[in-house]
Short mmCIF file of all heavy atoms in Angstrom, two decimals:
data_model
loop_
_atom_site.label_atom_id
_atom_site.label_comp_id
_atom_site.label_asym_id
_atom_site.label_seq_id
_atom_site.Cartn_x
_atom_site.Cartn_y
_atom_site.Cartn_z
N PRO A 25 133.68 81.74 -69.86
CA PRO A 25 133.74 81.14 -71.19
C PRO A 25 133.19 82.06 -72.27
O PRO A 25 132.39 82.94 -71.98
CB PRO A 25 132.85 79.91 -71.05
CG PRO A 25 131.88 80.28 -69.98
CD PRO A 25 132.65 81.13 -69.01
N CYS A 26 133.62 81.80 -73.49
CA CYS A 26 133.03 82.48 -74.64
C CYS A 26 131.52 82.25 -74.57
O CYS A 26 130.74 83.19 -74.55
CB CYS A 26 133.62 81.91 -75.93
SG CYS A 26 132.91 82.63 -77.41
N SER A 27 131.13 80.96 -74.44
CA SER A 27 129.70 80.63 -74.40
C SER A 27 129.38 79.76 -73.19
O SER A 27 130.16 78.88 -72.82
CB SER A 27 129.33 79.79 -75.62
OG SER A 27 129.77 80.39 -76.80
N ARG A 50 131.77 86.21 -67.07
CA ARG A 50 131.12 86.41 -68.36
C ARG A 50 130.71 85.07 -68.98
O ARG A 50 131.35 84.05 -68.69
CB ARG A 50 132.04 87.13 -69.35
CG ARG A 50 133.30 86.36 -69.73
CD ARG A 50 133.80 86.68 -71.14
NE ARG A 50 133.00 85.99 -72.15
CZ ARG A 50 132.86 86.39 -73.40
NH1 ARG A 50 133.48 87.46 -73.83
NH2 ARG A 50 132.14 85.69 -74.25
N ALA A 51 129.69 85.07 -69.78
CA ALA A 51 129.36 83.91 -70.62
C ALA A 51 128.36 84.37 -71.67
O ALA A 51 127.39 85.05 -71.34
CB ALA A 51 128.77 82.76 -69.79
N GLY A 52 128.62 84.01 -72.92
CA GLY A 52 127.69 84.35 -73.99
C GLY A 52 126.54 83.35 -73.99
O GLY A 52 126.74 82.14 -73.86
N TRP A 54 123.64 84.13 -76.19
CA TRP A 54 123.26 84.21 -77.60
C TRP A 54 124.54 84.57 -78.34
O TRP A 54 125.15 85.62 -78.06
CB TRP A 54 122.22 85.32 -77.81
CG TRP A 54 120.99 85.09 -76.99
CD1 TRP A 54 119.97 84.23 -77.26
CD2 TRP A 54 120.64 85.75 -75.75
NE1 TRP A 54 119.01 84.30 -76.28
CE2 TRP A 54 119.39 85.21 -75.34
CE3 TRP A 54 121.24 86.71 -74.94
CZ2 TRP A 54 118.75 85.62 -74.16
CZ3 TRP A 54 120.61 87.12 -73.78
CH2 TRP A 54 119.37 86.59 -73.41
N LYS A 55 124.98 83.72 -79.26
CA LYS A 55 126.29 83.93 -79.87
C LYS A 55 126.19 84.39 -81.32
O LYS A 55 125.61 83.71 -82.15
CB LYS A 55 127.11 82.62 -79.86
CG LYS A 55 127.39 82.06 -78.50
CD LYS A 55 128.12 83.04 -77.61
CE LYS A 55 129.47 83.45 -78.14
NZ LYS A 55 130.10 84.49 -77.26
N PRO A 56 126.74 85.57 -81.60
CA PRO A 56 126.77 86.01 -83.01
C PRO A 56 127.89 85.26 -83.71
O PRO A 56 129.06 85.37 -83.35
CB PRO A 56 127.10 87.50 -82.89
CG PRO A 56 127.88 87.61 -81.60
CD PRO A 56 127.49 86.46 -80.73
N ARG A 57 127.58 84.46 -84.70
CA ARG A 57 128.62 83.70 -85.40
C ARG A 57 128.71 84.16 -86.84
O ARG A 57 127.71 84.53 -87.45
CB ARG A 57 128.32 82.19 -85.35
CG ARG A 57 128.08 81.63 -83.96
CD ARG A 57 129.16 82.02 -82.95
NE ARG A 57 130.48 81.58 -83.32
CZ ARG A 57 130.96 80.37 -83.05
NH1 ARG A 57 130.25 79.51 -82.38
NH2 ARG A 57 132.17 80.05 -83.44
N GLU A 88 126.21 89.08 -73.17
CA GLU A 88 126.00 89.97 -74.32
C GLU A 88 124.51 90.06 -74.65
O GLU A 88 123.80 89.06 -74.63
CB GLU A 88 126.76 89.43 -75.54
CG GLU A 88 126.43 90.22 -76.80
CD GLU A 88 127.20 89.78 -78.04
OE1 GLU A 88 128.17 88.99 -77.92
OE2 GLU A 88 126.83 90.22 -79.15
N TRP A 107 126.81 93.53 -72.03
CA TRP A 107 127.66 94.17 -73.01
C TRP A 107 127.05 94.07 -74.41
O TRP A 107 126.28 93.17 -74.70
CB TRP A 107 129.09 93.64 -72.97
CG TRP A 107 129.39 92.37 -73.70
CD1 TRP A 107 129.65 92.23 -75.05
CD2 TRP A 107 129.51 91.05 -73.14
NE1 TRP A 107 129.91 90.91 -75.34
CE2 TRP A 107 129.83 90.17 -74.19
CE3 TRP A 107 129.36 90.52 -71.85
CZ2 TRP A 107 130.01 88.80 -73.99
CZ3 TRP A 107 129.55 89.16 -71.64
CH2 TRP A 107 129.86 88.32 -72.71
N ILE A 108 127.41 95.08 -75.20
CA ILE A 108 126.96 95.12 -76.60
C ILE A 108 128.12 94.64 -77.45
O ILE A 108 129.24 95.14 -77.32
CB ILE A 108 126.52 96.55 -76.97
CG1 ILE A 108 125.32 96.95 -76.08
CG2 ILE A 108 126.18 96.65 -78.46
CD1 ILE A 108 124.75 98.32 -76.36
N GLY A 109 127.88 93.64 -78.29
CA GLY A 109 128.96 93.02 -79.06
C GLY A 109 129.39 93.87 -80.25
O GLY A 109 128.66 94.78 -80.69
N ALA A 110 130.56 93.53 -80.77
CA ALA A 110 131.16 94.31 -81.86
C ALA A 110 130.27 94.38 -83.09
O ALA A 110 130.23 95.39 -83.79
CB ALA A 110 132.51 93.68 -82.23
N ARG A 111 129.53 93.27 -83.36
CA ARG A 111 128.69 93.26 -84.55
C ARG A 111 127.43 94.07 -84.37
O ARG A 111 126.76 94.42 -85.33
CB ARG A 111 128.35 91.82 -84.93
CG ARG A 111 129.55 91.05 -85.46
CD ARG A 111 129.30 89.55 -85.42
NE ARG A 111 130.54 88.83 -85.57
CZ ARG A 111 131.43 88.65 -84.60
NH1 ARG A 111 131.22 89.17 -83.39
NH2 ARG A 111 132.54 87.98 -84.82
N SER A 112 127.07 94.36 -83.11
CA SER A 112 125.91 95.22 -82.87
C SER A 112 126.32 96.69 -82.87
O SER A 112 125.57 97.54 -83.34
CB SER A 112 125.27 94.88 -81.51
OG SER A 112 124.86 93.53 -81.50
N THR A 113 127.50 96.98 -82.32
CA THR A 113 127.93 98.38 -82.21
C THR A 113 128.00 99.05 -83.58
O THR A 113 127.81 100.26 -83.69
CB THR A 113 129.30 98.48 -81.50
OG1 THR A 113 129.23 97.72 -80.30
CG2 THR A 113 129.65 99.92 -81.17
N LYS A 136 131.33 97.19 -76.71
CA LYS A 136 132.53 96.75 -77.44
C LYS A 136 132.75 97.64 -78.65
O LYS A 136 131.78 98.19 -79.19
CB LYS A 136 132.35 95.30 -77.90
CG LYS A 136 132.49 94.30 -76.76
CD LYS A 136 132.87 92.95 -77.33
CE LYS A 136 133.20 91.96 -76.24
NZ LYS A 136 133.89 90.78 -76.77
N ASN A 137 134.01 97.75 -79.06
CA ASN A 137 134.25 98.57 -80.25
C ASN A 137 133.59 97.90 -81.46
O ASN A 137 133.39 96.68 -81.49
CB ASN A 137 135.76 98.78 -80.48
CG ASN A 137 136.53 97.52 -80.83
OD1 ASN A 137 137.26 96.99 -80.02
ND2 ASN A 137 136.36 97.02 -82.04
N VAL A 139 133.33 96.41 -85.27
CA VAL A 139 134.34 95.59 -85.95
C VAL A 139 135.28 96.44 -86.81
O VAL A 139 136.43 96.08 -87.01
CB VAL A 139 133.72 94.47 -86.82
CG1 VAL A 139 133.23 93.33 -85.97
CG2 VAL A 139 132.62 94.98 -87.70
N ILE A 164 134.65 98.33 -74.13
CA ILE A 164 135.56 97.18 -74.23
C ILE A 164 136.29 97.25 -75.58
O ILE A 164 135.64 97.34 -76.63
CB ILE A 164 134.80 95.83 -74.15
CG1 ILE A 164 134.00 95.74 -72.84
CG2 ILE A 164 135.77 94.66 -74.27
CD1 ILE A 164 133.11 94.50 -72.76
N HIS A 165 137.59 97.18 -75.51
CA HIS A 165 138.42 97.20 -76.71
C HIS A 165 138.72 95.76 -77.11
O HIS A 165 139.44 95.07 -76.40
CB HIS A 165 139.70 97.99 -76.37
CG HIS A 165 140.72 98.01 -77.47
ND1 HIS A 165 142.05 98.22 -77.22
CD2 HIS A 165 140.60 97.85 -78.80
CE1 HIS A 165 142.70 98.18 -78.37
NE2 HIS A 165 141.85 97.96 -79.34
N ARG A 166 138.15 95.30 -78.24
CA ARG A 166 138.32 93.90 -78.67
C ARG A 166 138.99 93.79 -80.03
O ARG A 166 139.01 92.74 -80.64
CB ARG A 166 137.00 93.13 -78.63
CG ARG A 166 135.86 93.76 -79.38
CD ARG A 166 135.92 93.60 -80.87
NE ARG A 166 135.40 92.32 -81.32
CZ ARG A 166 135.51 91.87 -82.56
NH1 ARG A 166 136.13 92.60 -83.49
NH2 ARG A 166 135.02 90.70 -82.91
N GLY A 167 139.54 94.91 -80.50
CA GLY A 167 140.27 94.87 -81.76
C GLY A 167 139.37 94.98 -82.97
O GLY A 167 138.14 94.95 -82.85
N ARG A 177 143.85 88.13 -84.40
CA ARG A 177 142.55 87.83 -85.01
C ARG A 177 141.86 89.15 -85.33
O ARG A 177 141.23 89.31 -86.37
CB ARG A 177 141.71 87.02 -84.01
CG ARG A 177 140.32 86.73 -84.49
CD ARG A 177 139.56 85.87 -83.48
NE ARG A 177 138.18 85.66 -83.89
CZ ARG A 177 137.25 85.17 -83.10
NH1 ARG A 177 137.55 84.80 -81.86
NH2 ARG A 177 136.03 85.00 -83.53
N ASN A 178 141.98 90.10 -84.40
CA ASN A 178 141.44 91.45 -84.62
C ASN A 178 142.51 92.45 -84.22
O ASN A 178 142.94 92.49 -83.05
CB ASN A 178 140.18 91.65 -83.79
CG ASN A 178 139.02 90.82 -84.30
OD1 ASN A 178 138.53 91.05 -85.41
ND2 ASN A 178 138.61 89.83 -83.53
N ASP A 200 139.79 93.36 -74.13
CA ASP A 200 139.40 91.97 -74.34
C ASP A 200 140.54 91.34 -75.17
O ASP A 200 140.51 91.38 -76.40
CB ASP A 200 138.07 91.94 -75.11
CG ASP A 200 137.69 90.55 -75.61
OD1 ASP A 200 138.54 89.63 -75.58
OD2 ASP A 200 136.55 90.38 -76.07
N HIS A 203 139.66 88.25 -77.91
CA HIS A 203 139.20 88.47 -79.29
C HIS A 203 140.22 89.25 -80.11
O HIS A 203 140.20 89.18 -81.33
CB HIS A 203 137.81 89.12 -79.31
CG HIS A 203 136.75 88.18 -78.83
ND1 HIS A 203 136.42 88.06 -77.50
CD2 HIS A 203 136.01 87.25 -79.49
CE1 HIS A 203 135.50 87.12 -77.37
NE2 HIS A 203 135.24 86.60 -78.56
N ILE A 204 141.11 90.00 -79.44
CA ILE A 204 142.20 90.63 -80.18
C ILE A 204 143.15 89.52 -80.66
O ILE A 204 143.52 89.45 -81.83
CB ILE A 204 142.97 91.66 -79.31
CG1 ILE A 204 142.09 92.88 -79.01
CG2 ILE A 204 144.27 92.09 -80.00
CD1 ILE A 204 142.70 93.93 -78.12
N MET A 227 139.00 91.62 -69.83
CA MET A 227 137.93 90.63 -69.96
C MET A 227 138.53 89.45 -70.74
O MET A 227 138.86 89.59 -71.92
CB MET A 227 136.75 91.22 -70.71
CG MET A 227 135.71 90.21 -71.12
SD MET A 227 134.07 90.98 -71.19
CE MET A 227 133.48 90.38 -72.71
N GLU A 229 138.54 85.39 -71.94
CA GLU A 229 137.75 84.17 -72.10
C GLU A 229 138.46 83.00 -71.41
O GLU A 229 139.63 82.72 -71.69
CB GLU A 229 137.53 83.87 -73.59
CG GLU A 229 136.47 84.79 -74.18
CD GLU A 229 135.99 84.39 -75.55
OE1 GLU A 229 136.69 83.63 -76.24
OE2 GLU A 229 134.91 84.85 -75.95
N SER A 239 132.93 77.16 -78.69
CA SER A 239 133.22 78.31 -79.55
C SER A 239 134.53 78.94 -79.09
O SER A 239 134.89 78.86 -77.91
CB SER A 239 132.09 79.35 -79.49
OG SER A 239 131.89 79.80 -78.17
N ASP A 240 135.25 79.55 -80.03
CA ASP A 240 136.50 80.26 -79.73
C ASP A 240 137.49 79.46 -78.88
O ASP A 240 138.10 80.00 -77.95
CB ASP A 240 136.19 81.61 -79.05
CG ASP A 240 135.65 82.63 -80.04
OD1 ASP A 240 135.67 82.35 -81.26
OD2 ASP A 240 135.23 83.72 -79.59
N GLN A 243 141.39 80.50 -78.27
CA GLN A 243 141.79 81.69 -77.51
C GLN A 243 141.45 81.61 -76.03
O GLN A 243 141.74 82.52 -75.28
CB GLN A 243 141.15 82.94 -78.13
CG GLN A 243 139.63 83.01 -77.95
CD GLN A 243 138.99 84.03 -78.88
OE1 GLN A 243 139.43 84.24 -79.99
NE2 GLN A 243 137.94 84.69 -78.41
C1 LIG B 1 132.33 87.49 -77.25
O1 LIG B 1 132.68 88.27 -76.35
O2 LIG B 1 132.28 86.27 -77.11
C2 LIG B 1 132.05 88.04 -78.59
C3 LIG B 1 131.24 87.45 -79.44
O3 LIG B 1 132.75 89.14 -78.82
P1 LIG B 1 132.80 90.22 -80.02
O4 LIG B 1 131.47 90.90 -80.03
O5 LIG B 1 133.90 91.07 -79.56
O6 LIG B 1 133.12 89.46 -81.28
#
Side-chain angles (χ1 to χ4, degrees):
C26 177
S27 309
R50 64 150 282 155
W54 302 281
K55 299 303 299 176
R57 307 310 301 274
E88 173 177 348
W107 83 82
I108 298 182
R111 290 162 195 78
S112 300
T113 310
K136 285 203 173 195
N137 66 254
V139 284
I164 302 174
H165 175 203
R166 53 77 83 190
R177 176 177 176 193
N178 290 294
D200 169 348
H203 291 88
I204 291 178
M227 170 151 133
E229 284 192 340
S239 59
D240 285 352
Q243 69 196 34

